[in-house]
């Protein structure tokens, strides 16, 4: 077994037993706050997909793993920054920011009314003559 393979197996074994070091979890939080996708964060840390999945798996009690928790904390921080900017714009009178906050954050207007809107399909054949069209749809003069 080569020295490189021995080192890699040691890293994999350490990851499985100890998880990611605190510095790596800080990197995960920072990248998640910036909106980076999971595969980019995984590659930045130099983890294989199987290592990533093993580290991200919840524990036996259903609690988030340290990696999954760091991802959620980073995403929450990034979302908090976006919301703070939109709130500041709203206070300056930007109505689009207010609409965005109402829609995305507070879900205003979504709970009101029916859960599903009725679907209506109206199909008009433009190739009909006025007389043919009058037979299909009652036209008032």
């Amino acid at each position: 077994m080569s020295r490189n393979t021995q080192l890699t197996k040691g890293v994999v074994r350490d990851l499985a037993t100890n998880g990611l070091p605190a510095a790596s979890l800080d990197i995960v939080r920072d990248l998640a706050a910036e909106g980076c996708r999971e595969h980019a964060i995984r590659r930045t840390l130099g983890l294989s997909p199987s290592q990533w999945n093993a580290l991200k798996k919840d524990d036996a009690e259903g609690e988030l793993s340290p990696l999954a928790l760091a991802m959620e904390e980073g995403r929450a921080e990034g979302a908090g920054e976006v919301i703070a900017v939109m709130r500041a714009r709203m206070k300056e009178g930007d109505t689009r920011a207010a609409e965005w906050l109402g829609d995305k954050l507070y879900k205003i207007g979504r709970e009101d009314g029916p859960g599903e809107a009725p679907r209506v399909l109206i199909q008009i054949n433009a190739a009909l003559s006025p007389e043919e069209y009058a037979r299909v749809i009652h036209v008032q003069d």
Side-chain angles (χ1 to χ4, degrees):
M1 187 180 314
S2 72
R3 183 174 186 276
N4 192 25
T5 304
Q6 289 174 342
L7 289 174
T8 304
K9 286 192 176 198
V11 168
V12 171
R13 184 181 58 249
D14 289 346
L15 284 174
T17 57
N18 302 328
L20 287 171
S24 295
L25 292 174
D26 290 339
I27 292 170
V28 169
R29 278 185 205 91
D30 291 342
L31 292 175
E34 293 298 319
C36 291
R37 296 183 182 257
E38 285 190 23
H39 71 275
I41 298 171
R42 177 185 59 79
R43 288 180 177 168
T44 300
L45 296 176
L47 298 173
S48 70
S50 60
Q51 290 171 323
W52 178 265
N53 291 333
L55 289 167
K56 199 173 162 209
K57 189 181 288 186
D58 296 346
D59 67 9
E61 297 173 1
E63 293 294 320
L64 291 177
S65 70
L67 174 59
L69 183 61
M71 289 286 296
E72 289 302 316
E73 289 170 349
R75 288 179 180 146
E77 181 182 333
E81 291 175 9
V82 170
I83 290 167
V85 167
M86 295 306 270
R87 282 189 175 157
R89 287 184 180 177
M90 181 183 70
K91 288 178 182 177
E92 293 170 356
D94 186 345
T95 57
R96 292 194 71 202
E99 289 173 13
W100 184 89
L101 284 167
D103 182 44
K104 301 293 183 194
L105 185 62
Y106 298 111
K107 311 283 190 250
I108 294 174
R110 288 191 180 183
E111 297 86 32
D112 303 335
E116 282 193 33
R119 296 178 188 223
V120 177
L121 174 65
I122 299 174
Q123 185 174 7
I124 298 175
N125 188 348
L128 295 176
S129 69
E131 294 80 25
E132 293 171 327
Y133 184 74
R135 278 186 272 150
V136 175
I137 296 177
H138 178 69
V139 179
Q140 293 179 348
D141 291 329

